[in-house]
Each structure stands twice: as C-alpha cells, then as structure tokens.
Amino acid sequence: RNFKPMKIVLCSLNEQEKIASKIEELFSKIDSTNKSLEYTKLQLELCKQSLLNAAVSGTIFGNEEKYDQIPLSDVIDSIGQGWSPKCEKIPSLNDEDWAVITTTAIQPMKFDDKQNKKLPQNLEPKLKLELEEDDLLITRAGPRSRVGITCLIKKTRRRLLLCDKAYRIRFKKTLVNPKFFEIILNSPKIVIEINGIKTGTSDSGLNITMKRFSNLIIPLPSIKQQEQIVSQIEQGFSLIENTQNIVNSTLQTLEIMRMSVLK
C-alpha cells in the first residue's frame, strides 16, 4: 500500500519501437546460439555414451575385438554392503572425524567424499568398512533412478565408512584393472543389464541382490587390453569435458549478454 513512485525513462513512441525491434533482433540471435549450444551439450553426452559402448563391444580401436564373456563373480575378490547407524545430521568436514557416506556420494563414474554424515562419538567405527582407493561402489537399494549407480574411488579422505545401501567390490588384481570395470559398469549396454536385475514392486523402493549382481555377464579383455581401453576412454573424456566447459562458459556469457542488452 505504501509503494513509492518509480521514475522511468520515457522516450518517444518511435524511439520505443526502434529499441524494442533491436532488442528482439539481438534476443533472437542469443536464443539461436543458446539452442545450438544446448544441442552441442547433448551431442557431447552422446559421444561419451558411444565411447563407453565401444569399450564393451570391442570396437574402441576400430576393428572389433572378441572378448571372453564371464560372470562378474569370476573377477570379484570380495563384495559386501555397509552399515547405516543413526548418524548426526551434519557432514564430517575433515578426516579427523569418522563419517558414513550417503548414497549421493556415489554418482556415475564420480565419487564425492563430501556427501556423508558424521558418526556420533559414542559409536565405534567398523574399521573393516573404511573406504579405500580402487574400491568400486554400486548403490543397491533406493528409488529406481538411484539404484545401480556405479563409481570407482580414485581418491578419498580417511575415516569414511560404507553405508548399508551400497555394495563395495574389490577385484582380483591379477585379472582386473578397476578403472576398466568402472567403464564397463557405466556403459549403456551394461546399465540396461543392471536395470534388468533390479527387484521390487515400487519404483520408489527397488533393490539389487548380491547374487544377481555377481551373476552379471561382462566382457573380460586381457589386463593389457584393459589398460589400453582405459587410456583411450580417459583421453576421449578429457577432450569431451574440455569442450563441455567451453560450452557452459559460453552459455553463461550469453545470459550476461542478455542482461547487458536490457541495460
């Protein structure tokens, strides 16, 4: 009710029409560029998926390679789920405190050790559940979209414990490069297979049993071939991610330009 009068610039009607026309012209160019860049982002993501599929199918180096197809259990050294005690609602911000990861720490091919809940001081940590580099994690229970998410721990802080809603897999080092299996379990073909082994009656609460996951059929190239595939994927992903960063930066610049036009 107590609005203060606002002063605005009011030019002639003819000048207003010129300004509106110019703004529409510039906004049209910005929108067109924005649409092209969003399409580029989609294509870059498809390139990632194509690379992952090529790793599974044996076509990543051009000529098709025939790999042995084995159950995952043949290369697993150990598999187990974690522990979900009643934790504090706040995360542990440093490795002086013990904490239990939340399932959001596990993202496709990415581990975020900041996603955790602090373990109360009156609870003793289960040391055998402490996470280490080269542990492969997969979410085993939760909503459909969050079950079967896989990542490899390439780097982590100390004193982080595995939660109950995830499996930790450790591989037989003589047979497996862990980075290769992170690639395999995130490839579209195997993701479809993982979706097929989920059990439950509601999309809000599905599960992957240890037995079903261990029986998953996966390709097994030689260790040398695995290392070559990992190297090829890392190079390809690095190029794609650099391009994605440029695209995202340009999209931000376009928004700044839009505001500059209005100013």
Side-chain angles (χ1 to χ4, degrees):
R1 290 181 180 180
N2 298 317
F3 290 125
K4 293 182 180 179
M6 180 185 295
K7 293 183 178 181
I8 62 169
V9 177
L10 186 64
C11 50
S12 69
L13 187 59
N14 183 53
E15 197 67 20
Q16 291 175 40
E17 288 173 348
K18 286 181 179 178
I19 291 169
S21 176
K22 189 63 178 178
I23 285 175
E24 286 175 355
E25 176 192 339
L26 292 172
F27 273 21
S28 177
K29 290 179 179 178
I30 289 172
D31 289 342
S32 176
T33 307
N34 203 313
K35 187 176 180 180
S36 295
L37 289 169
E38 290 293 348
Y39 178 74
T40 301
K41 282 178 68 175
L42 177 61
Q43 293 302 111
L44 288 169
E45 193 55 43
L46 289 174
C47 282
K48 275 189 173 183
Q49 300 306 307
S50 180
L51 273 174
L52 292 171
N53 259 342
V56 174
S57 63
T59 59
I60 195 164
F61 298 111
N63 297 327
E64 186 174 356
E65 297 278 345
K66 296 293 184 183
Y67 302 142
D68 291 339
Q69 303 292 316
I70 63 162
L72 194 57
S73 56
D74 283 5
V75 294
I76 289 177
D77 186 48
S78 67
I79 179 171
Q81 65 194 65
W83 176 48
S84 292
K86 188 174 178 60
C87 292
E88 296 183 21
K89 294 182 179 180
I90 58 172
S92 163
L93 302 178
N94 58 69
D95 62 7
E96 295 303 313
D97 302 310
W98 284 94
V100 179
I101 64 165
T102 59
T103 56
T104 51
I106 305 169
Q107 300 293 333
M109 301 187 78
K110 181 181 178 182
F111 178 68
D112 184 359
D113 61 12
K114 295 180 180 62
Q115 300 296 318
N116 67 70
K117 289 185 177 180
K118 192 174 178 181
L119 191 70
Q121 291 187 346
N122 65 322
L123 289 180
E124 286 293 320
K126 295 188 177 184
L127 300 182
K128 65 180 181 179
L129 295 178
E130 184 175 9
L131 297 173
E132 300 176 2
E133 291 180 12
D134 285 345
D135 284 347
L136 190 134
L137 308 180
I138 180 168
T139 54
R140 68 165 194 87
R144 180 179 293 277
S145 63
R146 285 296 305 157
V147 176
I149 306 298
T150 311
C151 73
L152 181 71
I153 299 180
K154 302 175 185 76
K155 184 179 179 182
T156 187
R157 48 160 276 190
R158 298 181 308 148
R159 297 182 177 172
L160 272 187
L161 302 171
L162 180 67
C163 66
D164 177 60
K165 290 189 176 181
Y167 292 131
R168 173 176 62 187
I169 300 100
R170 289 176 173 167
F171 294 104
K172 297 175 181 177
K173 293 294 181 69
T174 55
L175 296 176
V176 167
N177 180 325
K179 289 182 179 179
F180 172 76
F181 271 85
E182 180 188 41
I183 290 167
I184 291 302
L185 294 173
N186 279 280
S187 67
K189 181 179 183 297
I190 301 299
V191 167
I192 291 171
E193 297 291 331
I194 291 173
N195 283 334
I197 63 172
K198 296 175 184 178
T199 59
T201 57
S202 169
D203 280 358
S204 62
L206 295 182
N207 186 56
I208 293 177
T209 66
M210 203 177 293
K211 182 178 179 181
R212 284 191 166 206
F213 180 67
S214 298
N215 287 337
L216 200 67
I217 301 299
I218 46 92
L220 184 68
S222 68
I223 280 283
K224 184 177 180 181
Q225 287 172 315
Q226 291 176 39
E227 290 170 352
Q228 291 170 340
I229 291 168
V230 168
S231 177
Q232 190 78 357
I233 290 289
E234 287 179 343
Q235 289 177 38
F237 272 30
S238 178
L239 288 171
I240 290 169
E241 285 163 8
N242 287 340
T243 308
Q244 285 174 326
N245 289 337
I246 293 169
V247 168
N248 289 332
S249 176
T250 307
L251 285 168
Q252 290 175 1
T253 301
L254 287 173
E255 285 308 306
I256 294 169
M257 287 175 65
R258 192 186 297 275
M259 299 307 297
S260 296
V261 167
L262 294 173
K263 186 177 179 181

